[in-house]
Protein backbone atom coordinates (compact mmCIF):
# COMPACT_ATOMS: atom_id res chain seq x y z
CA UNK A 1 0.00 0.00 0.00
CA UNK A 2 1.30 3.49 -0.87
CA UNK A 3 0.35 4.85 2.57
CA UNK A 4 -0.06 3.10 5.87
CA UNK A 5 -1.80 6.21 7.23
CA UNK A 6 -3.70 8.77 5.20
CA UNK A 7 -6.09 11.63 5.57
CA UNK A 8 -7.53 11.00 2.09
CA UNK A 9 -10.41 8.76 1.06
CA UNK A 10 -8.27 6.64 -1.22
CA UNK A 11 -5.14 4.53 -1.22
CA UNK A 12 -3.14 2.68 -3.84
CA UNK A 13 -1.97 -0.88 -3.97
CA UNK A 14 1.23 -1.17 -5.99
CA UNK A 15 1.98 -4.58 -7.51
CA UNK A 16 5.52 -4.95 -8.83
CA UNK A 17 6.13 -8.14 -10.83
CA UNK A 18 9.60 -8.68 -12.35
CA UNK A 19 9.32 -9.13 -16.10
CA UNK A 20 8.59 -12.70 -17.19
CA UNK A 21 7.85 -14.04 -13.70
CA UNK A 22 4.09 -13.54 -13.65
CA UNK A 23 3.25 -16.01 -16.40
CA UNK A 24 1.04 -18.79 -15.15
CA UNK A 25 -0.20 -16.80 -12.12
CA UNK A 26 -3.42 -14.99 -11.35
CA UNK A 27 -4.31 -12.55 -8.56
CA UNK A 28 -7.36 -11.08 -6.92
CA UNK A 29 -8.04 -8.23 -4.43
CA UNK A 30 -10.92 -7.57 -2.10
CA UNK A 31 -11.68 -4.87 0.48
CA UNK A 32 -14.90 -4.42 2.40
CA UNK A 33 -16.60 -1.05 1.96
CA UNK A 34 -14.36 -0.01 -0.93
CA UNK A 35 -14.52 0.46 -4.64
CA UNK A 36 -11.57 -0.15 -6.95
CA UNK A 37 -10.52 0.45 -10.56
CA UNK A 38 -10.46 -3.33 -11.08
CA UNK A 39 -13.12 -5.93 -10.40
CA UNK A 40 -12.67 -7.21 -6.85
CA UNK A 41 -12.88 -10.88 -5.85
CA UNK A 42 -12.08 -11.72 -9.49
CA UNK A 43 -8.89 -13.39 -10.76
CA UNK A 44 -6.71 -11.29 -13.07
CA UNK A 45 -3.41 -12.02 -14.86
CA UNK A 46 -0.49 -11.22 -12.51
CA UNK A 47 1.41 -8.23 -13.87
CA UNK A 48 2.81 -4.94 -12.56
CA UNK A 49 0.08 -2.36 -11.96
CA UNK A 50 -1.44 0.10 -9.48
CA UNK A 51 -4.91 -0.42 -8.12
CA UNK A 52 -6.86 2.53 -6.71
CA UNK A 53 -9.17 1.93 -3.73
CA UNK A 54 -11.74 4.49 -2.59
CA UNK A 55 -13.55 4.49 0.79
CA UNK A 56 -16.27 6.43 2.50
CA UNK A 57 -15.63 5.79 6.20
CA UNK A 58 -12.75 6.56 8.58
CA UNK A 59 -10.95 3.79 10.38
CA UNK A 60 -8.69 0.84 9.72
CA UNK A 61 -9.16 -0.80 6.33
CA UNK A 62 -7.84 -4.09 4.96
CA UNK A 63 -7.05 -5.31 1.45
CA UNK A 64 -6.98 -9.06 0.82
CA UNK A 65 -4.32 -9.86 -1.79
CA UNK A 66 -4.29 -13.40 -3.20
CA UNK A 67 -2.08 -15.03 -5.85
CA UNK A 68 -2.60 -18.53 -7.23
CA UNK A 69 -1.42 -20.59 -10.17
CA UNK A 70 -3.64 -20.88 -13.18
CA UNK A 71 -4.43 -24.43 -12.15
CA UNK A 72 -5.95 -23.05 -8.93
CA UNK A 73 -3.07 -23.90 -6.62
CA UNK A 74 -2.76 -21.16 -3.89
CA UNK A 75 0.56 -19.33 -3.98
CA UNK A 76 0.33 -16.09 -1.85
CA UNK A 77 -2.30 -14.74 0.49
CA UNK A 78 -1.64 -11.46 2.38
CA UNK A 79 -3.79 -8.96 4.24
CA UNK A 80 -2.57 -5.37 3.88
CA UNK A 81 -3.94 -2.86 6.42
CA UNK A 82 -3.95 0.93 6.51
CA UNK A 83 -5.77 3.64 8.39
CA UNK A 84 -7.77 6.61 7.19
CA UNK A 85 -8.49 9.55 9.55
CA UNK A 86 -9.39 13.24 9.28
CA UNK A 87 -8.18 13.94 12.83
CA UNK A 88 -6.40 17.32 13.04
CA UNK A 89 -3.45 17.52 15.45
CA UNK A 90 -3.76 19.74 18.50
CA UNK A 91 -1.81 22.96 17.72
CA UNK A 92 1.63 23.06 19.36
CA UNK A 93 2.55 25.22 22.34
CA UNK A 94 5.99 26.60 21.59
CA UNK A 95 8.54 28.88 23.19
CA UNK A 96 12.28 29.42 23.16
CA UNK A 97 14.52 28.39 26.03
CA UNK A 98 15.47 32.07 26.43
CA UNK A 99 14.01 35.45 25.54
CA UNK A 100 17.23 36.90 24.17
CA UNK A 101 20.15 35.25 22.40
CA UNK A 102 23.41 36.17 20.73
CA UNK A 103 23.63 32.82 18.91
CA UNK A 104 21.94 31.84 15.65
CA UNK A 105 21.51 28.29 16.98
CA UNK A 106 18.70 27.91 19.51
CA UNK A 107 16.25 25.37 20.85
CA UNK A 108 12.52 25.72 20.27
CA UNK A 109 10.61 24.07 23.10
CA UNK A 110 7.54 22.12 21.97
CA UNK A 111 4.69 20.95 24.18
CA UNK A 112 4.45 17.22 24.81
CA UNK A 113 0.65 17.35 25.10
CA UNK A 114 0.09 15.81 21.67
CA UNK A 115 -1.30 12.64 20.20
CA UNK A 116 1.01 9.70 19.67
CA UNK A 117 0.28 9.89 15.93
CA UNK A 118 1.62 13.47 15.73
CA UNK A 119 4.96 12.87 14.09
CA UNK A 120 6.29 16.06 12.44
CA UNK A 121 6.66 19.76 13.11
CA UNK A 122 6.85 22.53 10.55
CA UNK A 123 9.05 25.50 11.47
CA UNK A 124 8.98 28.68 9.42
CA UNK A 125 9.44 32.42 9.65
CA UNK A 126 12.79 34.01 10.48
CA UNK A 127 14.71 30.76 10.27
CA UNK A 128 17.40 29.32 8.05
CA UNK A 129 16.35 26.34 5.91
CA UNK A 130 19.89 25.49 4.83
CA UNK A 131 20.48 21.74 4.94
CA UNK A 132 16.88 20.89 5.79
CA UNK A 133 15.36 17.89 4.05
CA UNK A 134 11.88 19.23 3.35
CA UNK A 135 11.17 22.84 2.46
CA UNK A 136 7.57 24.03 2.44
CA UNK A 137 6.28 27.60 2.28
CA UNK A 138 9.47 29.22 3.56
CA UNK A 139 9.88 26.68 6.34
CA UNK A 140 10.75 23.04 6.78
CA UNK A 141 9.26 19.84 8.15
CA UNK A 142 11.21 18.00 10.82
CA UNK A 143 10.57 14.78 12.68
CA UNK A 144 9.55 15.45 16.26
CA UNK A 145 12.13 14.30 18.79
CA UNK A 146 11.36 10.95 20.36
CA UNK A 147 12.91 12.13 23.62
CA UNK A 148 12.95 15.64 25.02
CA UNK A 149 11.00 18.65 23.89
CA UNK A 150 13.64 20.72 22.08
CA UNK A 151 13.72 21.24 18.32
CA UNK A 152 17.01 22.78 17.10
CA UNK A 153 16.41 25.97 15.09
CA UNK A 154 18.86 28.22 13.27
CA UNK A 155 17.67 31.82 13.15
CA UNK A 156 18.09 34.02 10.11
CA UNK A 157 21.02 36.44 10.31
CA UNK A 158 20.71 40.04 11.47
CA UNK A 159 19.92 41.63 14.82
CA UNK A 160 16.30 42.09 15.78
CA UNK A 161 13.22 40.26 16.99
CA UNK A 162 12.86 36.94 15.17
CA UNK A 163 9.35 35.58 14.65
CA UNK A 164 9.16 31.80 14.31
CA UNK A 165 6.00 29.82 13.51
CA UNK A 166 5.24 26.15 14.01
CA UNK A 167 2.51 23.62 13.26
CA UNK A 168 2.10 19.86 13.64
CA UNK A 169 1.49 17.14 11.07
CA UNK A 170 0.31 13.67 12.03
CA UNK A 171 0.83 10.31 10.39
CA UNK A 172 -2.30 10.85 8.27
CA UNK A 173 -0.80 14.01 6.74
CA UNK A 174 -3.29 16.30 8.49
CA UNK A 175 -1.86 19.67 9.58
CA UNK A 176 -2.74 21.90 12.53
CA UNK A 177 -3.15 25.14 10.58
CA UNK A 178 -2.65 27.96 11.23
CA UNK A 179 0.94 28.03 12.49
CA UNK A 180 1.54 29.16 16.08
CA UNK A 181 4.03 32.04 16.63
CA UNK A 182 6.92 32.49 19.07
CA UNK A 183 9.55 35.22 19.12
CA UNK A 184 13.09 35.73 20.36
CA UNK A 185 15.45 38.71 20.26
CA UNK A 186 18.66 38.03 18.36
CA UNK A 187 21.41 40.47 19.29
CA UNK A 188 24.95 39.87 18.15
CA UNK A 189 26.16 43.49 18.11
CA UNK A 190 27.72 44.53 21.43
CA UNK A 191 27.18 47.96 23.00
CA UNK A 192 29.43 50.81 21.86
CA UNK A 193 31.29 53.67 23.56
CA UNK A 194 31.82 51.59 26.68
CA UNK A 195 34.01 53.02 29.42
CA UNK A 196 34.64 52.96 33.15
CA UNK A 197 36.09 55.81 35.21
CA UNK A 198 37.34 55.77 38.80
CA UNK A 199 36.38 58.81 40.83
CA UNK A 200 39.44 58.57 43.08
CA UNK A 201 42.39 56.27 42.51
CA UNK A 202 43.24 56.48 46.24
CA UNK A 203 40.55 56.00 48.88
CA UNK A 204 40.67 56.18 52.66
CA UNK A 205 38.00 53.51 53.18
CA UNK A 206 37.22 50.34 51.27
CA UNK A 207 34.59 51.88 48.99
CA UNK A 208 35.35 53.03 45.44
CA UNK A 209 33.08 54.95 43.09
CA UNK A 210 32.93 54.01 39.40
CA UNK A 211 31.16 55.77 36.54
CA UNK A 212 29.91 53.43 33.80
CA UNK A 213 29.01 54.54 30.29
CA UNK A 214 27.82 52.59 27.25
CA UNK A 215 25.52 53.11 24.28
CA UNK A 216 22.92 50.48 23.48
CA UNK A 217 19.16 50.43 22.74
CA UNK A 218 18.59 47.65 25.27
CA UNK A 219 19.20 47.28 29.04
CA UNK A 220 22.79 47.03 30.23
CA UNK A 221 24.50 45.26 33.13
CA UNK A 222 27.92 45.35 34.72
CA UNK A 223 30.06 42.97 36.74
CA UNK A 224 33.06 43.61 38.99
CA UNK A 225 35.53 40.90 39.98
CA UNK A 226 39.04 40.83 41.39
CA UNK A 227 40.15 42.32 44.71
CA UNK A 228 36.64 43.13 45.84
CA UNK A 229 34.87 42.71 49.14
CA UNK A 230 31.84 41.36 47.32
CA UNK A 231 31.59 40.28 43.69
CA UNK A 232 29.09 42.22 41.58
CA UNK A 233 27.53 40.03 38.90
CA UNK A 234 25.36 41.30 36.02
CA UNK A 235 23.80 44.19 37.92
CA UNK A 236 21.60 46.51 35.87
CA UNK A 237 22.68 50.10 35.23
CA UNK A 238 21.97 53.06 32.99
CA UNK A 239 24.76 54.77 31.08
CA UNK A 240 26.26 57.51 33.22
CA UNK A 241 25.41 55.84 36.53
CA UNK A 242 27.88 56.12 39.40
CA UNK A 243 28.10 52.85 41.32
CA UNK A 244 29.85 51.94 44.56
CA UNK A 245 32.11 48.91 44.86
CA UNK A 246 33.62 47.55 48.04
CA UNK A 247 37.29 46.59 47.73
CA UNK A 248 39.18 44.23 50.00
CA UNK A 249 39.58 45.97 53.36
CA UNK A 250 43.36 45.53 53.69
CA UNK A 251 45.53 48.52 52.66
CA UNK A 252 47.25 48.35 49.28
CA UNK A 253 46.58 48.51 45.57
CA UNK A 254 43.48 46.65 44.41
CA UNK A 255 42.93 45.31 40.91
CA UNK A 256 39.30 45.41 39.85
CA UNK A 257 38.06 43.85 36.61
CA UNK A 258 35.00 45.68 35.31
CA UNK A 259 32.90 44.28 32.46
CA UNK A 260 29.86 45.71 30.68
CA UNK A 261 27.47 43.60 28.67
CA UNK A 262 24.06 43.81 27.01
CA UNK A 263 20.97 41.70 27.60
CA UNK A 264 22.24 39.03 25.20
CA UNK A 265 25.59 38.67 26.96
CA UNK A 266 27.66 40.56 24.37
CA UNK A 267 30.60 42.04 26.30
CA UNK A 268 31.84 45.45 25.21
CA UNK A 269 34.24 46.13 28.08
CA UNK A 270 36.49 43.96 30.20
CA UNK A 271 38.91 46.41 31.77
CA UNK A 272 41.20 46.34 34.79
CA UNK A 273 41.20 49.44 37.00
CA UNK A 274 43.43 50.11 39.99
CA UNK A 275 42.28 51.53 43.32
CA UNK A 276 44.63 52.02 46.26
CA UNK A 277 43.27 51.74 49.79
CA UNK A 278 45.23 54.02 52.12
CA UNK A 279 43.50 54.88 55.41
CA UNK A 280 45.92 57.80 55.95
CA UNK A 281 45.09 59.63 52.73
CA UNK A 282 43.35 63.00 52.92
CA UNK A 283 40.62 62.97 50.33
CA UNK A 284 38.41 65.68 48.98
CA UNK A 285 37.55 68.64 51.16
CA UNK A 286 38.54 72.18 52.14
CA UNK A 287 41.88 72.85 53.75
CA UNK A 288 43.12 76.08 55.30
CA UNK A 289 46.73 76.04 54.23
CA UNK A 290 49.12 75.31 57.14
CA UNK A 291 46.23 75.47 59.60
CA UNK A 292 44.25 72.24 59.75
CA UNK A 293 42.43 73.00 63.02
CA UNK A 294 43.00 76.55 64.21
CA UNK A 295 44.51 79.90 63.24
CA UNK A 296 45.31 83.13 65.00
CA UNK A 297 44.87 85.19 61.85
CA UNK A 298 41.63 85.84 60.02
CA UNK A 299 43.53 86.10 56.72
CA UNK A 300 43.83 82.62 55.22
CA UNK A 301 44.64 80.67 52.06
CA UNK A 302 42.04 78.07 51.14
CA UNK A 303 42.70 74.90 49.11
CA UNK A 304 39.66 72.96 47.87
CA UNK A 305 40.00 69.45 46.48
CA UNK A 306 37.26 67.34 44.92
CA UNK A 307 37.12 63.71 43.93
CA UNK A 308 35.84 63.78 40.36
CA UNK A 309 35.62 61.76 37.20
CA UNK A 310 37.72 62.60 34.17
CA UNK A 311 34.74 64.08 32.33
CA UNK A 312 33.83 66.32 35.28
CA UNK A 313 37.03 68.30 35.70
CA UNK A 314 36.41 71.28 38.03
CA UNK A 315 36.44 74.55 36.06
CA UNK A 316 34.88 76.95 38.55
CA UNK A 317 34.91 77.23 42.31
CA UNK A 318 32.61 78.91 44.85
CA UNK A 319 33.57 79.36 48.51
CA UNK A 320 30.94 80.46 51.00
CA UNK A 321 30.33 80.45 54.74
CA UNK A 322 31.97 82.53 57.46
CA UNK A 323 34.31 84.20 54.97
CA UNK A 324 34.61 87.51 53.16
CA UNK A 325 36.61 88.95 50.29
CA UNK A 326 36.54 89.26 46.53
CA UNK A 327 36.98 85.49 46.04
CA UNK A 328 34.00 84.49 48.18
CA UNK A 329 30.30 83.95 47.49
CA UNK A 330 30.82 83.96 43.70
CA UNK A 331 32.03 81.61 40.98
CA UNK A 332 35.73 82.04 40.25
CA UNK A 333 38.12 80.03 38.07
CA UNK A 334 39.08 76.84 39.87
CA UNK A 335 42.38 77.25 41.74
CA UNK A 336 44.13 76.37 44.97
CA UNK A 337 45.51 78.90 47.45
CA UNK A 338 42.52 81.25 47.29
CA UNK A 339 42.91 84.27 49.59
CA UNK A 340 40.08 85.40 51.88
CA UNK A 341 39.30 86.42 55.43
CA UNK A 342 37.43 84.68 58.18
CA UNK A 343 34.45 86.73 59.26
CA UNK A 344 33.90 87.94 61.92
CA UNK A 345 37.50 88.40 63.04
CA UNK A 346 36.80 87.71 66.70
CA UNK A 347 37.53 84.46 68.50
CA UNK A 348 35.22 81.62 67.58
CA UNK A 349 34.41 78.68 65.35
CA UNK A 350 34.08 79.35 61.61
CA UNK A 351 32.62 77.18 58.85
CA UNK A 352 33.71 77.25 55.22
CA UNK A 353 31.88 75.60 52.29
CA UNK A 354 33.03 74.93 48.74
CA UNK A 355 31.63 73.44 45.56
CA UNK A 356 32.76 73.25 41.97
CA UNK A 357 31.16 73.47 38.54
CA UNK A 358 32.31 71.37 35.59
CA UNK A 359 32.41 72.09 31.84
CA UNK A 360 28.77 71.07 31.50
CA UNK A 361 27.64 73.54 34.15
CA UNK A 362 26.88 70.76 36.62
CA UNK A 363 27.42 71.85 40.22
CA UNK A 364 28.94 69.44 42.71
CA UNK A 365 27.78 68.76 46.22
CA UNK A 366 29.12 70.96 49.04
CA UNK A 367 32.21 70.04 51.03
CA UNK A 368 32.65 71.71 54.42
CA UNK A 369 35.43 72.70 56.82
CA UNK A 370 35.33 73.94 60.40
CA UNK A 371 38.27 75.89 61.86
CA UNK A 372 38.68 77.81 65.09
CA UNK A 373 39.86 81.41 64.93
CA UNK A 374 41.94 82.79 67.79
CA UNK A 375 41.44 79.99 70.32
CA UNK A 376 41.79 80.88 74.02
CA UNK A 377 41.39 79.51 77.50
CA UNK A 378 39.99 81.46 80.44
CA UNK A 379 39.41 80.82 84.12
CA UNK A 380 36.82 82.32 86.43
CA UNK A 381 35.42 81.17 89.75
CA UNK A 382 37.60 78.04 89.66
CA UNK A 383 36.14 77.01 86.31
CA UNK A 384 38.52 76.62 83.36
CA UNK A 385 36.88 77.19 79.96
CA UNK A 386 38.49 75.89 76.72
CA UNK A 387 37.81 76.87 73.12
CA UNK A 388 36.24 73.93 71.19
CA UNK A 389 38.93 73.42 68.56
CA UNK A 390 37.91 70.79 65.96
CA UNK A 391 40.12 67.73 65.68
CA UNK A 392 41.03 67.68 69.37
CA UNK A 393 41.75 64.16 70.55
CA UNK A 394 42.83 64.95 74.14
CA UNK A 395 43.94 67.75 76.46
CA UNK A 396 46.43 68.08 79.32
CA UNK A 397 46.17 70.83 81.96
CA UNK A 398 48.97 72.12 84.22
CA UNK A 399 48.54 74.71 87.01
CA UNK A 400 45.53 73.34 88.86
CA UNK A 401 45.39 71.27 91.99
CA UNK A 402 43.35 68.84 89.91
CA UNK A 403 45.29 66.55 87.57
CA UNK A 404 44.37 66.38 83.89
CA UNK A 405 46.71 64.46 81.61
CA UNK A 406 45.60 63.20 78.20
CA UNK A 407 41.94 63.50 79.11
CA UNK A 408 39.04 63.76 76.69
CA UNK A 409 38.07 67.26 75.64
CA UNK A 410 35.38 69.10 77.57
CA UNK A 411 34.32 72.74 77.48
CA UNK A 412 34.78 73.27 81.20
CA UNK A 413 37.03 71.82 83.89
CA UNK A 414 37.16 72.43 87.67
CA UNK A 415 40.46 74.15 88.45
CA UNK A 416 41.91 75.37 91.74
CA UNK A 417 44.66 77.59 90.36
CA UNK A 418 48.10 76.99 91.96
CA UNK A 419 50.32 78.83 89.47
CA UNK A 420 50.39 82.29 87.89
CA UNK A 421 48.89 80.80 84.72
CA UNK A 422 47.11 77.62 83.79
CA UNK A 423 48.58 75.96 80.70
CA UNK A 424 46.36 73.84 78.46
CA UNK A 425 47.90 71.60 75.81
CA UNK A 426 45.62 70.39 73.00
CA UNK A 427 46.63 67.20 71.16
CA UNK A 428 45.02 66.88 67.73
CA UNK A 429 44.12 63.95 65.50
CA UNK A 430 47.27 64.45 63.42
CA UNK A 431 49.41 64.31 66.63
CA UNK A 432 50.23 68.05 66.51
CA UNK A 433 49.82 70.11 69.68
CA UNK A 434 48.87 73.60 70.77
CA UNK A 435 49.54 75.09 74.21
CA UNK A 436 47.43 78.01 75.45
CA UNK A 437 47.72 79.82 78.76
CA UNK A 438 45.17 81.71 80.83
CA UNK A 439 45.65 85.46 81.12
Amino acid sequence: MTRQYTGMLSNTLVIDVPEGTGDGFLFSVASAGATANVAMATMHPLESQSIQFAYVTEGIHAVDFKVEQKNGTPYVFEILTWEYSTEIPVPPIISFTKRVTRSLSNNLLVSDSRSSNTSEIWVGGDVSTAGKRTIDGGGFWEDLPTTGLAVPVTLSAGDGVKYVHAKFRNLFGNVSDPAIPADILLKQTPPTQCAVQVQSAIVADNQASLKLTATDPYPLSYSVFGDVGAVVSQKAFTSGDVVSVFVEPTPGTKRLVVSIEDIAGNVCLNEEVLVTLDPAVEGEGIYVRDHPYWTNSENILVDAYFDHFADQEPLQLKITGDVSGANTNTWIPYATGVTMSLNPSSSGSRRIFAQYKDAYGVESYLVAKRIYLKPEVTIAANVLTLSPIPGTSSVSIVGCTESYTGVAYATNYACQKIAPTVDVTYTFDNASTLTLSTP
Side-chain angles (χ1 to χ4, degrees):
M1 303 300 297
T2 303
R3 291 177 291 273
Q4 185 179 358
Y5 304 92
T6 181
M8 299 183 294
L9 286 169
S10 62
N11 206 348
T12 302
L13 173 66
V14 177
I15 303 173
D16 184 16
V17 182
E19 185 176 354
T21 62
D23 297 342
F25 291 90
L26 302 173
F27 81 96
S28 68
V29 293
S31 182
T35 60
N37 60 348
V38 298
M40 291 191 287
T42 300
M43 302 306 295
H44 304 277
L46 182 62
E47 56 189 14
S48 296
Q49 58 188 291
S50 296
I51 300 175
Q52 305 294 326
F53 293 89
Y55 298 81
V56 295
T57 60
E58 295 187 38
I60 297 175
H61 299 280
V63 174
D64 296 339
F65 177 71
K66 181 171 65 174
V67 176
E68 60 182 41
Q69 296 178 356
K70 288 184 177 180
N71 61 9
T73 303
Y75 187 72
V76 171
F77 180 77
E78 188 171 347
I79 299 175
L80 305 174
T81 61
W82 58 284
E83 186 173 358
Y84 160 59
S85 175
T86 58
E87 174 191 348
I88 302 298
V90 175
I93 300 173
I94 60 171
S95 64
F96 283 95
T97 54
K98 58 185 75 172
R99 295 295 300 157
V100 184
T101 181
R102 66 171 185 252
S103 173
L104 293 177
S105 299
N106 292 273
N107 284 325
L108 184 68
L109 294 181
V110 183
S111 58
D112 60 354
S113 57
R114 56 181 185 259
S115 170
S116 60
N117 62 36
T118 300
S119 57
E120 294 176 287
I121 185 171
W122 178 89
V123 180
D126 298 324
V127 295
S128 170
T129 57
K132 296 299 180 181
R133 60 180 178 83
T134 305
I135 309 300
D136 182 10
F140 58 89
W141 286 102
E142 187 119 312
D143 291 337
L144 281 166
T146 55
T147 59
L149 305 175
V151 176
V153 171
T154 301
L155 301 175
S156 58
D159 284 6
V161 177
K162 302 297 181 180
Y163 296 95
V164 177
H165 305 269
K167 53 188 175 182
F168 282 155
R169 183 164 65 187
N170 59 21
L171 295 172
F172 305 103
N174 302 319
V175 177
S176 62
D177 282 322
I180 303 300
D183 63 83
I184 186 172
L185 174 61
L186 173 65
K187 189 175 187 300
Q188 296 183 301
T189 304
T192 58
Q193 298 176 310
C194 300
V196 57
Q197 300 177 50
V198 181
Q199 187 177 47
S200 179
I202 304 176
V203 294
D205 57 23
N206 68 325
Q207 188 168 335
S209 294
L210 308 176
K211 177 185 274 190
L212 306 171
T213 54
T215 299
D216 198 77
Y218 299 100
L220 298 161
S221 64
Y222 73 98
S223 300
V224 184
F225 305 92
D227 300 330
V228 294
V231 170
V232 180
S233 181
Q234 294 182 320
K235 190 172 182 178
F237 80 98
T238 301
S239 183
D241 280 357
V242 176
V243 300
S244 294
V245 176
F246 290 97
V247 301
E248 291 178 345
T250 55
T253 298
K254 312 299 176 183
R255 288 172 169 79
L256 311 181
V257 178
V258 182
S259 66
I260 295 176
E261 62 184 71
D262 61 19
I263 56 174
N266 297 300
V267 176
C268 69
L269 180 78
N270 195 40
E271 184 174 321
E272 181 182 87
V273 296
L274 301 180
V275 176
T276 298
L277 173 59
D278 182 359
V281 70
E282 291 187 343
E284 66 178 3
I286 305 175
Y287 303 93
V288 177
R289 188 174 295 182
D290 301 325
H291 300 285
Y293 306 112
W294 62 274
T295 179
N296 279 325
S297 173
E298 64 268 26
N299 298 316
I300 57 174
L301 288 175
V302 172
D303 297 320
Y305 298 103
F306 301 91
D307 290 338
H308 61 275
F309 295 102
D311 60 353
Q312 293 178 309
E313 188 76 26
L315 292 185
Q316 292 182 290
L317 175 69
K318 182 192 282 186
I319 300 177
T320 58
D322 299 324
V323 290
S324 61
N327 294 324
T328 64
N329 300 296
T330 187
W331 289 106
I332 61 175
Y334 179 81
T336 56
V338 181
T339 60
M340 63 192 63
S341 298
L342 294 173
N343 186 38
S345 60
S346 56
S347 174
S349 180
R350 303 290 180 264
R351 289 184 68 84
I352 311 171
F353 303 95
Q355 66 182 143
Y356 76 87
K357 186 186 295 186
D358 64 21
Y360 304 101
V362 177
E363 299 178 10
S364 73
Y365 45 80
L366 288 171
V367 292
K369 167 73 176 178
R370 188 164 67 90
I371 190 169
Y372 205 91
L373 175 62
K374 300 175 183 177
E376 57 186 5
V377 294
T378 59
I379 189 168
N382 296 326
V383 175
L384 183 67
T385 301
L386 281 61
S387 294
I389 304 175
T392 300
S393 61
S394 65
V395 295
S396 297
I397 302 172
V398 176
C400 304
T401 57
E402 297 82 0
S403 177
Y404 302 103
T405 302
V407 298
Y409 170 82
T411 304
N412 299 305
Y413 297 88
C415 178
Q416 297 284 338
K417 188 175 180 181
I418 60 173
T421 62
V422 176
D423 300 323
V424 179
T425 299
Y426 291 77
T427 299
F428 299 104
D429 293 338
N430 65 356
S432 64
T433 59
L434 168 66
T435 300
L436 299 174
S437 299
T438 57

